[in-house]
Amino acid sequence: MSVRILALVGSLRAGSHNRQLAEAAVKFAPEGAEVHLFEGLAEIPFYNEDIDVEGSVPAAAAKLREAAQGAQAFLLFSPEYNGTIPAVLKNAIDWLSRPFGAGAFTGKPVAVVGTAFGQYGGVWAQDEARKAVGIAGGKVIEDIKLAIPGSVTRFAETHPADDAEVAAQLTEVVARLHGHADETLAA
């Protein structure tokens, strides 16, 4: 059986380096793992219990939940906006945290990686994303980390998939997350 890893990208920008990282993760997925890049985070309304009612959940949120329910693991890509997690990624985490105690993340392995322009590569945002998804029930794999600094210059003329160092690191991230998903499924 193949392990399905759902990738969520916290940047909506067309030329997003985090999106490019996610595309590279799809490309470098090891045999037995399928990384699926979720499209449509921009269409999901901000989480509000008043609209999270069975039978009338907004279509975009229902699509996210359906994709997440079919995943055995999650790989989140987070840039850093003003020192923290982007709203679009936090919103996805909020939608996937419900219903309380039985959200789509519950018990599933999650890794958070990313790139940012700053000298630390977005570690504050990635730490915030790990915290939020852990509270949402995800099994955060704390030792799987990849924070790539200087994204604007490093990837100015090179796609992350064509950067040998990044390709090797990202391949390792996906392989290790795949291993954790296999262990979770076997338990």
Side-chain angles (χ1 to χ4, degrees):
M1 178 176 120
S2 186
V3 171
R4 183 180 175 95
I5 299 170
L6 186 63
L8 303 176
V9 179
S11 175
L12 302 177
R13 187 172 62 85
S16 164
H17 298 120
N18 280 284
R19 180 174 177 85
Q20 291 174 357
L21 274 179
E23 292 166 354
V26 170
K27 180 179 180 178
F28 298 127
E31 186 174 329
E34 298 174 28
V35 178
H36 293 272
L37 179 53
F38 183 81
E39 303 288 353
L41 289 184
E43 286 78 41
I44 300 170
F46 282 112
Y47 184 79
N48 176 342
E49 279 187 71
D50 292 341
I51 63 173
D52 188 7
V53 178
E54 192 172 335
S56 64
V57 171
K63 179 183 169 192
L64 172 64
R65 284 180 172 166
E66 183 179 336
Q69 287 297 339
Q72 286 81 43
F74 297 88
L75 184 54
L76 279 54
F77 294 83
S78 184
E80 190 168 275
Y81 293 176
N82 298 313
T84 193
I85 184 174
V88 69
L89 187 57
K90 176 63 169 68
N91 189 48
I93 293 168
D94 290 345
W95 275 103
L96 295 176
S97 72
R98 301 289 194 245
F100 182 75
F105 287 123
T106 302
K108 296 179 183 178
V110 182
V112 181
V113 300
T115 186
F117 179 62
Q119 66 181 337
Y120 302 112
V123 294
W124 288 347
Q126 293 168 33
D127 286 346
E128 291 293 319
R130 285 184 195 95
K131 175 183 162 188
V133 80
I135 291 169
K139 181 181 167 187
V140 178
I141 311 303
E142 293 288 347
D143 65 342
I144 298 180
K145 295 184 179 179
L146 178 59
I148 304 166
S151 61
V152 173
T153 52
R154 183 166 190 164
F155 303 125
E157 296 182 23
T158 303
H159 191 286
D162 298 326
D163 181 312
E165 179 185 18
V166 170
Q169 292 171 326
L170 194 55
T171 300
E172 176 71 15
V173 163
V174 176
R176 291 186 61 213
L177 181 59
H178 174 244
H180 282 278
D182 274 342
E183 290 174 14
T184 300
L185 289 170

